[in-house]
Amino acid sequence: PAPTQAAHIPFISTPPPDSSELPTRRAGRPPSGRPSAGPPTRQASGVLTWLRRRRLPVAAIAVLLAVAGTVLAVTLAHGGDSSQPTAEVPPDSRQLGAPLTDHTGGVWSVAFAPDGHTLASAGEGGTARLWDVTDRTAPRPLGAPLTGHTGMVRSVAFAPDGHTLATAGADKTVQLWDVTDRTAPRPLGMSLTGHTDPVNSVAFAPGGRIVATAAGDVYNTDHTVRLWDLTDPAAPRPLGSPLTGHTREVESVAFSPDGHILASASWDKTVRLWSLTDPVAPSPLGGPLTGNTGYVNAVAFSPDGRTLASANDDKTVRLWDVDRSTTPHSLGSPLTGHTAGVRSVAFSPDGRILASAGDDHTVRLWDVSDRTNPRPLGSPLTGHTDWVLSVAFAPDGRTLASASDDGTVRLWNIG
């Protein structure tokens, strides 16, 4: 999900509950882009981080930045630390080709098509893009950007047959696209409407006939998950009533590999499991999964369906044993190593590797072949210059895609 544009943040005299720990994703985010003179100094980075953690009116941010700039200039004039390197961090040796740079702003979601030859990406600017990644070292755009959303596109997902793409937007809608001809995608029917808040996540069930959507915004109350019947993709219809129970915005949804369970992650710091034995009347599976000390940003099932991973704003990744879905429990200690909030998680197709991405501008790989004893796998993947918000494995498991608020998508060789 994306930050509300700063120009539209309403002034509030008192902050909402827990505002001191609000994650930075929606906190008056300035436009993407990097200073041409190199990265900011350590002092400037501290000021910007502080501002990004608080929901301030634009005028207040401008004043604070001006004051901070004055203080910083005086500090440097009197011998402050000016030794920060100005050269861009070199790309990781695993990186495949040059970054994909055709987006006009931050990129918030990536997904591979089932055939592995096409990648979808989406983010700021209200568009999604398709890429031919047959040659991983030389990806190229396919056709024109997909337009139609009136706000940021926060999530993309391919149907299992690869012929349909779903895009979820801050405009509270989901659009389905016929991407049978990758060079000329076309909208399928009317947009899916019903959510009253931005749609943060969209996911297809394994059979492709059901899609789940998750919504929520820090100022509003649509903290729900909805299911849709796509038996006729040109005429989707709601399935049953919205799923309620989360008390804050729902950031992510994921189906188990057999399609019998849906997981949802929320800023109420919990993960919930839902039985889809009857998709018209889903039911909760046990109580919420608790223990996270930060907001839960994303969830992903392992290919065998026995393990669920959650990405947390407390800088950790957690693994959950969901083999017995009515009695899920945490697997060992949280995975640590990220130095800022974790935004996205994804399992490799063989289930042996877990990728995680975060606000520390890195992607980390974990060996989870023994899920009770996961361990870091190699060094973090570096090269992005801003938050890494989404990761996705190619179907062959040899390539990983990452999307960042620096406006780029990168491909990585996993082996």
Side-chain angles (χ1 to χ4, degrees):
T4 305
Q5 293 295 322
H8 299 292
I9 296 179
F11 179 82
I12 51 175
S13 57
T14 56
D18 295 332
S19 65
S20 63
E21 57 176 337
L22 279 175
T24 53
R25 184 180 308 202
R26 254 191 279 264
R29 184 73 171 98
S32 298
R34 316 302 293 174
S36 58
T41 63
R42 189 175 289 122
Q43 295 97 326
S45 295
V47 172
L48 290 173
T49 300
W50 187 88
L51 290 175
R52 289 160 78 170
R53 288 279 174 183
R54 282 149 178 82
R55 310 185 62 81
L56 299 175
V58 176
I61 291 177
V63 171
L64 287 170
L65 285 174
V67 172
T70 301
V71 172
L72 180 57
V74 171
T75 301
L76 293 177
H78 286 79
D81 180 11
S82 59
S83 61
Q84 297 298 301
T86 58
E88 183 179 352
V89 176
D92 191 276
S93 59
R94 288 177 179 253
Q95 188 172 318
L96 291 167
L100 285 58
T101 58
D102 284 17
H103 280 280
T104 58
V107 188
W108 293 85
S109 183
V110 284
F112 277 96
D115 64 7
H117 296 305
T118 306
L119 181 75
S121 60
E124 295 175 9
T127 65
R129 290 178 178 268
L130 297 180
W131 307 84
D132 182 345
V133 291
T134 305
D135 180 353
R136 301 286 203 257
T137 62
R140 59 184 182 85
L142 283 168
L146 282 60
T147 61
H149 285 285
T150 58
M152 177 181 294
V153 182
R154 298 186 170 184
S155 181
V156 291
F158 279 98
D161 65 5
H163 295 306
T164 304
L165 180 76
T167 56
D171 59 5
K172 309 173 187 178
T173 73
V174 174
Q175 178 66 56
L176 301 177
W177 306 84
D178 182 343
V179 291
T180 305
D181 180 352
R182 300 285 202 257
T183 62
R186 58 182 182 84
L188 268 174
M190 301 293 289
S191 298
L192 280 61
T193 60
H195 282 295
T196 57
D197 273 355
V199 185
N200 301 321
S201 181
V202 60
F204 281 92
R209 294 189 175 185
I210 297 175
V211 71
T213 56
D217 186 83
V218 70
Y219 291 116
N220 299 306
T221 58
D222 181 8
H223 307 148
T224 66
V225 174
R226 288 176 178 259
L227 297 177
W228 309 83
D229 182 349
L230 300 188
T231 303
D232 180 359
R237 59 185 181 86
L239 268 177
S241 302
L243 309 185
T244 60
H246 284 295
T247 58
R248 291 290 302 271
E249 44 271 54
V250 187
E251 294 291 297
S252 176
V253 282
F255 285 94
S256 62
D258 62 9
H260 294 163
I261 301 174
L262 181 73
S264 55
S266 171
W267 279 6
D268 64 10
K269 304 181 184 179
T270 72
V271 173
R272 288 179 177 265
L273 300 178
W274 310 85
S275 170
L276 300 183
T277 303
D278 180 1
V280 178
S283 58
L285 281 170
L289 306 185
T290 59
N292 303 294
T293 59
Y295 301 102
V296 189
N297 293 316
V299 282
F301 278 96
S302 62
D304 63 8
R306 299 177 58 218
T307 308
L308 184 75
S310 62
N312 309 305
D313 204 59
D314 62 9
K315 308 177 187 178
T316 70
V317 174
R318 286 180 178 264
L319 297 181
W320 306 87
D321 184 338
V322 292
D323 201 13
R324 296 183 178 180
S325 55
T326 56
T327 56
H329 59 273
S330 180
L331 281 167
S333 301
L335 281 60
T336 60
H338 282 285
T339 58
V342 185
R343 299 295 183 178
S344 181
V345 283
F347 282 95
S348 62
D350 64 6
R352 294 178 176 272
I353 299 175
L354 179 73
S356 59
D359 290 356
D360 58 6
H361 308 180
T362 72
V363 175
R364 287 180 174 264
L365 301 176
W366 310 87
D367 181 346
V368 291
S369 51
D370 178 357
R371 63 184 189 147
T372 63
N373 186 32
R375 58 186 180 84
L377 193 60
S379 302
L381 309 184
T382 60
H384 283 297
T385 57
D386 212 325
W387 306 328
V388 188
L389 303 174
S390 179
V391 284
F393 276 95
D396 63 7
R398 299 176 60 186
T399 304
L400 182 77
S402 59
S404 172
D405 201 35
D406 65 11
T408 70
V409 174
R410 291 175 186 253
L411 298 179
W412 311 87
N413 176 28
I414 303 304

